[in-house]
Amino acid sequence: VLVFFLLFGRGCMNYMFPASYAWGNFSVLAVGIWAIVQRDSLDAIMMFLTGLLLTVLTDIIHISVFYPPNKYLTDVKRFSIGMAIFSLLLKPLSCYLVYRMYRERGGE
């Protein structure tokens, strides 16, 4: 969860993406913290997994729509986009690990 927060937080640092990018990822982060703290809840872990899967889709849309042209791409914007893309690439691994947690807690 901490790595997830650090990566997408760096993707938000340049105000290149709209507020929906940050709000969507922060809400999934909050549900993820809830799912980790409340170890006996299947609903929390399922909501976290669903949120992660939805943010994969919305991150792809945000990155593809709001990617700036090359002549407007500064170093800070390039770093922000790189972190957002890296976060997007690591989300399937996070989904797999969350699914394994779901199975360990008794989910089918």
Side-chain angles (χ1 to χ4, degrees), residues 67-85:
Y67 195 88
N70 236 1
K71 60 183 173 182
Y72 298 113
L73 200 58
T74 62
D75 290 338
V76 175
K77 287 183 180 180
R78 186 174 289 123
F79 179 75
S80 295
I81 290 174
M83 289 297 108
I85 291 172

Side-chain angles (χ1 to χ4, degrees), residues 12 16 48 83:
C12 293
M16 185 172 26
F48 184 42
M83 289 297 108

Side-chain angles (χ1 to χ4, degrees), residues 34-42 101 105:
W34 173 47
I36 290 173
V37 169
Q38 195 169 5
R39 296 199 179 271
D40 58 343
S41 175
L42 282 175
M101 283 174 47
R105 292 182 184 185

Side-chain angles (χ1 to χ4, degrees), residues 2-98:
L2 180 63
V3 172
F4 173 70
F5 174 71
L6 289 174
L7 289 176
F8 94 85
R10 295 295 175 205
C12 293
M13 75 180 202
N14 200 17
Y15 304 108
M16 185 172 26
F17 297 122
S20 60
Y21 176 79
W23 279 104
N25 282 302
F26 274 123
S27 61
V28 169
L29 177 67
V31 172
I33 291 171
W34 173 47
I36 290 173
V37 169
Q38 195 169 5
R39 296 199 179 271
D40 58 343
S41 175
L42 282 175
D43 292 336
I45 199 75
M46 195 62 195
M47 285 177 61
F48 184 42
L49 181 60
T50 305
L52 274 175
L53 291 172
L54 285 174
T55 57
V56 167
L57 179 66
T58 58
D59 286 358
I60 291 170
I61 293 170
H62 280 113
I63 291 170
S64 62
V65 170
F66 294 102
Y67 195 88
N70 236 1
K71 60 183 173 182
Y72 298 113
L73 200 58
T74 62
D75 290 338
V76 175
K77 287 183 180 180
R78 186 174 289 123
F79 179 75
S80 295
I81 290 174
M83 289 297 108
I85 291 172
F86 191 55
S87 171
L88 177 63
L89 290 174
L90 287 179
K91 279 187 184 178
L93 176 67
S94 298
C95 290
Y96 173 72
L97 295 174
V98 170

